[in-house]
Amino acid sequence: MIQLENVTFTYNGSEEKGNLKNINLSIRQGEVILLCGESGCGKTTLTRLINGLIPWYYEGELNGIIKVDGKEIREQPLHILSRKIGSVFQNPRSQFFNVDTTSEIAFSCENQGLPEDEIRERIHQTVSLFQIENLIDRNIFHLSGGEKQKIACASVSAGEPEIFVLDEPSSNLDVAAIEDLKHIISCWKSAGKTVIIAEHRLYYLMELADRIIYMQNGEIRREWTTADFLGLSQREVENLGLRPASLKQIYELHIEKSSGSGVYQLKQMDFAYKGEQQSLHIPAVNFTKGTAIAVIGKNGAGKSTFLRCLCGLEKRCSGEVQDNGKSYSLRKWAKNCYLVMQDVNHQLFTESVFDEIVLGADNADTNKVEQVMERLDLISFRERHPMSLSGGQKQRVAIAGAIFSDKKMLLLDEPTSGLDFRHMEQVAELMQQLKQQGKTLLIVTHDPEFILKTCDNIIRIEDGTIAEQYSLDTAEMGKLFDFFHLY
């Protein structure tokens, strides 16, 4: 069904990782193919070749043969390919064309000129299949990152293509939503659809993938059946730069706790989006200084809103923070906070990576900046425009900016989204150093590996309020394992 022969591709005017060379790959109809490898290995570029974004959208030098259904992809216009191939991108916001969720799900059907009755029926079937009744007729801009990802998947599915191409589809999803995604992919597979998935998070696909393709430096280096891949040791998987293939492997990760000293007290935080019911109600919560606090909860529980309110981005939010007997309104407290957003595209402003990192710093030591850039594999991008980087690279630039912001409290919203195992570990090590410097970290995350390597305390938010708060020690560990199903 899909055939790539001796394919080489180089992006125009770019020396970045992600270029491809000597790609030979055949994908049969109905197969589920998992593409894995470290960031920059070429996974996303390969998906762009399959769905036609290369060469119709991304320009560069392309050689070799790429066929879908026996036809060369360069001979098929993008609007024709889009009927055969549905794509879900790493950042779902980049593929939305509507303000409300129902219109977005209908969009692909409307583009095909389907009758209104058929469109309504497809919407109904898709909503039922995805179990997203609670997301219908909602403002897309008020959804969480995970909820946006669900809508993106639903919109593509409603168009009923034969091939689905997904780039990091689970990156912002909670445990329950990942199970929903797994169910959807299973349904597609049962219906004979072909599914190609580029992923860092591997465990949920082990029961679905027919083949696992490992990429490195733009080439296909290894290929396994799922059974053979599961036969690899945890050390072998880590040496490949990959995340665990089983949640049980996460159980053994080492925890380096910080005790901290002193507390910040947050009181009477209340917030509601204009014209909507109350989104947050937090009477009181303490943050131990010099520790990392994981903020967990289901998609849409209010985690990202909590961070936005705490750093002053939501002006309608009331509340105060007490520090050493002094009270600060949230607007004044914002001067002590630095937020790394879930969608870092909203906070990249300068013309170079170096300038972006030092933007919030008064007197950043150049040597120290370059040391951090080296540790985050950013040094080769020093003069590159931040918006020209991959999603994972942008994420690391924003994290580096937070490190040099010299703020008391760092707020990170899904900081490991799009990061492979090695870069996740690098970020975790830097977080440990920040705690030693007395920084307090609030981290919204669905990444249990990162929590176990970084965090000391847990706050679980449900329905806009704090359902529980506990220390991440042996006595309380079971609560975290229960939440992430780590048994």
Side-chain angles (χ1 to χ4, degrees), residues 10 43 57 85 105 114 117 128 155 161 192 209 241 244 249 280 286 318 333 370 385 396 401 407 433 466 473 478 484:
T10 304
K43 302 187 301 295
Y57 186 80
I85 307 171
I105 294 173
L114 298 177
D117 289 346
S128 177
S155 177
Q249 295 176 349
L280 284 179
N286 292 341
S318 62
W333 180 251
E370 292 187 343
H385 197 293
R396 302 201 301 274
K407 302 294 185 182
Q433 291 182 13
I466 294 179
D473 56 25
F484 283 106

Side-chain angles (χ1 to χ4, degrees), residues 49-110:
L49 284 173
I50 293 171
N51 63 19
L53 289 180
I54 296 174
W56 294 110
Y57 186 80
Y58 294 96
E59 297 181 346
E61 183 179 348
L62 174 61
N63 295 294
I65 297 172
I66 310 165
K67 291 184 178 181
V68 175
D69 286 341
K71 296 181 180 179
E72 171 62 49
I73 207 163
R74 283 167 285 196
E75 297 174 0
Q76 302 181 67
L78 197 54
H79 71 276
I80 298 296
L81 284 171
S82 66
R83 296 185 180 185
K84 299 179 182 178
I85 307 171
S87 299
V88 178
F89 305 130
Q90 184 174 354
N91 181 3
R93 183 177 172 273
S94 65
Q95 67 188 90
F96 289 149
F97 293 90
N98 297 275
V99 175
D100 71 282
T101 56
T102 305
S103 297
E104 187 62 37
I105 294 173
F107 184 76
S108 61
C109 301
E110 292 172 341

Side-chain angles (χ1 to χ4, degrees), residues 86-263:
S87 299
V88 178
F89 305 130
Q90 184 174 354
N91 181 3
R93 183 177 172 273
S94 65
Q95 67 188 90
F96 289 149
F97 293 90
N98 297 275
V99 175
D100 71 282
T101 56
T102 305
S103 297
E104 187 62 37
I105 294 173
F107 184 76
S108 61
C109 301
E110 292 172 341
N111 267 354
Q112 296 179 35
L114 298 177
E116 182 177 342
D117 289 346
E118 184 173 349
I119 292 176
R120 292 185 182 279
E121 179 59 26
R122 287 200 187 185
I123 292 173
H124 173 74
Q125 291 176 352
T126 302
V127 169
S128 177
L129 182 65
F130 278 63
Q131 300 175 349
I132 53 173
E133 288 82 1
N134 63 317
L135 300 183
I136 294 303
D137 297 325
R138 295 270 301 276
N139 185 326
I140 283 179
F141 296 102
H142 292 174
L143 300 182
S144 70
E147 289 171 332
K148 289 175 183 175
Q149 189 72 291
K150 287 184 179 181
I151 294 299
C153 290
S155 177
V156 170
S157 188
E160 297 186 357
E162 288 302 310
I163 301 168
F164 292 89
V165 178
L166 296 86
D167 190 7
E168 301 285 349
S170 74
S171 58
N172 295 317
L173 300 185
D174 62 29
V175 175
I178 289 173
E179 284 299 311
D180 292 341
L181 174 62
K182 180 179 176 182
H183 170 70
I184 295 305
I185 296 172
S186 177
C187 290
W188 288 338
K189 183 174 183 176
S190 297
K193 306 291 186 180
T194 304
V195 187
I196 299 101
I197 310 166
E199 262 287 16
H200 288 306
R201 187 178 276 162
L202 308 181
Y203 72 87
Y204 76 98
L205 294 168
M206 291 299 100
E207 297 176 12
L208 297 173
D210 297 296
R211 284 186 290 157
I212 298 167
I213 308 295
Y214 175 73
M215 299 186 66
Q216 187 178 48
N217 298 326
E219 296 183 280
I220 294 175
R221 294 292 179 87
R222 302 279 297 274
E223 179 179 328
W224 302 273
T225 64
T226 304
D228 289 340
F229 185 76
L230 289 173
L232 300 177
S233 69
Q234 183 174 351
R235 177 65 64 183
E236 287 175 309
V237 173
E238 290 181 0
N239 287 341
L240 292 168
L242 301 178
R243 297 285 190 117
S246 167
L247 280 178
K248 292 181 180 179
Q249 295 176 349
I250 300 173
Y251 183 92
E252 301 173 0
L253 292 176
H254 174 67
I255 300 170
E256 184 177 340
K257 278 185 57 62
S258 300
S259 57
S261 178
V263 296

Side-chain angles (χ1 to χ4, degrees), residues 375-414:
R375 293 189 64 182
L376 290 174
D377 288 337
L378 294 172
I379 196 69
S380 62
F381 306 123
R382 190 182 196 279
E383 300 303 325
R384 282 275 299 278
H385 197 293
M387 295 305 291
S388 71
L389 303 179
S390 70
Q393 291 161 351
K394 290 176 185 176
Q395 196 82 19
R396 302 201 301 274
V397 170
I399 291 169
I403 290 170
F404 286 98
S405 66
D406 198 29
K407 302 294 185 182
K408 294 180 180 180
M409 184 176 284
L410 304 183
L411 315 177
L412 301 102
D413 195 354
E414 297 290 356

Side-chain angles (χ1 to χ4, degrees), residues 407-475:
K407 302 294 185 182
K408 294 180 180 180
M409 184 176 284
L410 304 183
L411 315 177
L412 301 102
D413 195 354
E414 297 290 356
T416 59
S417 173
L419 298 189
D420 57 32
F421 179 79
R422 182 168 60 89
H423 289 117
M424 180 273 290
E425 285 201 314
Q426 290 173 347
V427 172
E429 290 173 3
L430 287 170
M431 295 299 105
Q432 295 289 359
Q433 291 182 13
L434 288 170
K435 289 191 294 181
Q436 292 170 8
Q437 297 169 17
K439 306 295 185 183
T440 304
L441 314 175
L442 266 71
I443 305 170
V444 167
T445 182
H446 295 299
D447 188 342
E449 299 159 84
F450 188 66
I451 291 173
L452 290 174
K453 286 180 174 289
T454 306
C455 297
D456 312 290
N457 302 290
I458 304 292
I459 290 175
R460 182 168 64 84
I461 293 181
E462 296 298 342
D463 298 323
T465 193
I466 294 179
E468 60 181 347
Q469 182 176 11
Y470 52 91
S471 173
L472 195 57
D473 56 25
T474 305

